[in-house]
Amino acid sequence: MTKKNATIYDISKKLNISVATVSRALNNHPRISQATKELVVKTAKEMNYKQNNLAKALKSGETKNVGIIVPFVNTNFFSSVIRGIEEELSTYGYHVIICQSHEDVNIEKRHLNTLLNAQVDGIFMSVSRTTVDTEHIQHILNTSNTPIIFFDRKKDIPGISTVTIDDYRGGYMATEHLIKEGYKNICHFSGDLNLEIYQNRLNGYKQALLDHHLPVNEDNIISTGSSIDAGIEAIKKLWSKKSVPDAIFSSSDFAALGACQELKKRKIKIPEEVAVIGFSNEPFTQFMELPISSVDQTPVTMGQMAGQVFLDHIKDNSSGVSIEKKVVLKPQIYIRKSSKRK
């Protein structure tokens, strides 16, 4: 038979003290003596008492839970952002509920509804690549007080705070590095241009070329996915057209890795004949036989900043003020053998 959990009434009866005193002792009330608190807590443990967190949440207006929605958790970037959020909020007693959209806006919608029904205190999200219409997010703003914080992938919606890196600057830095190394015919693997982050990286690439008096050749801009296979196929496409670049800036480290694999298979020397630089600074980039240069997105810092924005929102709301915050982090570039010719 399952052992029944005790209630505060059972503890009150056993210790011959009032229910109110038991409740105050369990909630560390300052008017209750330390000796009584210790006795109540000890008795509660012996009697298998479990505090009713739902009732506590209804009373305080807080569940101390937050939701995080990401496309996938099995990438270093998103898992590191989650780590940053958790590190920042755990000190304040918050727990995280992690959801994956799998790049599907319908799954994203279901997760948002589930988190709202769970009465989370806030939602952190990086939108899916299929999130074009944002009506489901706007509906939450119109009908709920639950704060939403976008990180990395965002939509420009008034009332929602965002934490991103300067993707435009990152794209510019990567391209300018290649130019300064002496490369002139630079190809760009653009990623999914439905997402603003990839648009910004592309725009940074174009501006760096223009600022250094190099032409923007649309044939050198290859629409790719963010996978190893996408990078392999992009190289095959370029070489089939004989549109051979002397350098590649990829918006994805995984596509950059695929490009390196296919170039090596074709016995093309990196970086002597073709240089490669990626984006995200995934851990594998520095541990390969030929380490790959990359732009770092500082994901742990991004998560920590998102956590701080949430805490600021909670504090602002308690004083009747709500301030929309736009945090833009500076990217860092790590130069390795794949792009260093000089």
Side-chain angles (χ1 to χ4, degrees):
M1 183 179 291
T2 304
K3 187 176 181 181
K4 183 181 177 182
N5 291 338
T7 67
I8 59 173
Y9 298 97
D10 298 324
I11 299 169
S12 166
K13 185 176 180 181
K14 181 169 184 177
L15 296 179
N16 197 28
I17 58 178
S18 71
V19 171
T21 300
V22 173
S23 177
R24 290 181 182 134
L26 290 171
N27 287 286
N28 200 27
H29 196 285
R31 288 174 58 186
I32 305 300
S33 71
Q34 189 60 34
T36 300
K37 288 177 185 176
E38 291 175 0
L39 176 61
V40 170
V41 169
K42 178 175 179 290
T43 305
K45 287 180 180 177
E46 290 172 351
M47 298 181 70
N48 197 36
Y49 169 75
K50 304 292 182 186
Q51 193 164 25
N52 188 329
N53 289 327
L54 179 58
K56 187 177 180 182
L58 289 170
K59 185 177 180 181
S60 67
E62 290 184 323
T63 62
K64 287 294 181 180
N65 292 324
V66 296
I68 305 175
I69 303 176
V70 294
F72 299 102
V73 296
N74 62 338
T75 67
N76 177 70
F77 174 75
F78 286 119
S79 63
S80 295
V81 175
I82 292 168
R83 172 188 156 193
I85 294 171
E86 193 166 29
E87 285 179 355
E88 191 66 28
L89 297 186
S90 62
T91 306
Y92 298 89
Y94 286 95
H95 305 278
V96 301
I97 302 169
I98 302 167
C99 307
Q100 299 182 88
S101 69
H102 298 281
E103 301 285 23
D104 186 329
V105 67
N106 292 315
I107 296 175
E108 180 178 282
K109 290 176 182 178
R110 290 204 300 270
H111 285 322
L112 281 169
N113 287 331
T114 299
L115 292 171
L116 288 172
N117 288 335
Q119 298 183 328
V120 294
D121 297 332
I123 297 172
F124 301 83
M125 68 182 297
S126 193
V127 299
S128 79
R129 62 179 176 82
T130 57
T131 302
V132 179
D133 183 354
T134 58
E135 185 180 347
H136 60 294
I137 300 170
Q138 189 65 56
H139 177 72
I140 294 172
L141 288 181
N142 296 338
T143 60
S144 168
N145 290 323
T146 306
I148 298 174
I149 294 96
F150 284 143
F151 63 89
D152 186 45
R153 303 180 184 183
K154 67 179 179 67
K155 295 291 182 180
D156 290 323
I157 302 175
I160 295 185
S161 295
T162 62
V163 182
T164 60
I165 70 156
D166 190 339
D167 286 286
Y168 173 90
R169 181 63 188 159
Y172 191 102
M173 290 165 62
T175 308
E176 186 174 57
H177 158 66
L178 294 171
I179 294 168
K180 288 182 176 180
E181 289 293 317
Y183 301 101
K184 297 186 183 301
N185 187 23
I186 302 168
C187 174
H188 178 52
F189 294 175
S190 68
D192 189 338
L193 294 177
N194 284 327
L195 292 167
E196 186 181 315
I197 57 172
Y198 295 118
Q199 294 173 17
N200 290 338
R201 293 171 197 178
L202 170 60
N203 291 335
Y205 156 81
K206 287 181 174 179
Q207 193 60 52
L209 293 177
L210 293 173
D211 287 350
H212 290 273
H213 311 292
L214 292 173
V216 176
N217 183 353
E218 294 296 329
D219 288 338
N220 275 346
I221 300 170
I222 310 298
S223 179
T224 63
S226 300
S227 67
I228 294 172
D229 287 343
I232 292 171
E233 291 305 313
I235 293 296
K236 289 179 179 178
K237 183 177 180 180
L238 283 170
W239 260 254
S240 69
K241 292 182 176 180
K242 303 194 184 314
S243 176
V244 179
D246 60 6
I248 296 166
F249 160 44
S250 172
S251 280
S252 157
D253 277 341
F254 290 98
L257 174 56
C260 288
Q261 290 180 351
E262 184 62 21
L263 290 170
K264 185 177 180 181
K265 184 178 177 181
R266 292 169 181 263
K267 302 191 184 311
I268 295 167
K269 294 179 181 178
I270 307 170
E272 292 85 356
E273 295 179 77
V274 179
V276 179
I277 184 168
F279 208 107
S280 199
N281 199 33
E282 291 284 341
F284 68 79
T285 56
Q286 60 183 307
F287 298 120
M288 296 176 58
E289 182 181 351
L290 178 72
I292 300 175
S293 299
S294 188
V295 178
D296 188 47
Q297 295 177 270
T298 60
V300 174
T301 301
M302 183 180 288
Q304 291 168 339
M305 287 303 304
Q308 288 177 30
V309 168
F310 166 74
L311 293 171
D312 288 345
H313 182 94
I314 296 297
K315 185 170 69 174
D316 292 342
N317 265 7
S318 67
S319 60
V321 178
S322 182
I323 300 173
E324 181 183 324
K325 295 178 171 64
K326 305 293 182 186
V327 180
V328 182
L329 304 173
K330 292 181 179 179
Q332 299 175 19
I333 188 168
Y334 288 87
I335 307 304
R336 303 186 179 107
K337 289 182 180 179
S338 69
S339 67
K340 194 167 181 61
R341 185 160 68 178
K342 292 183 179 180

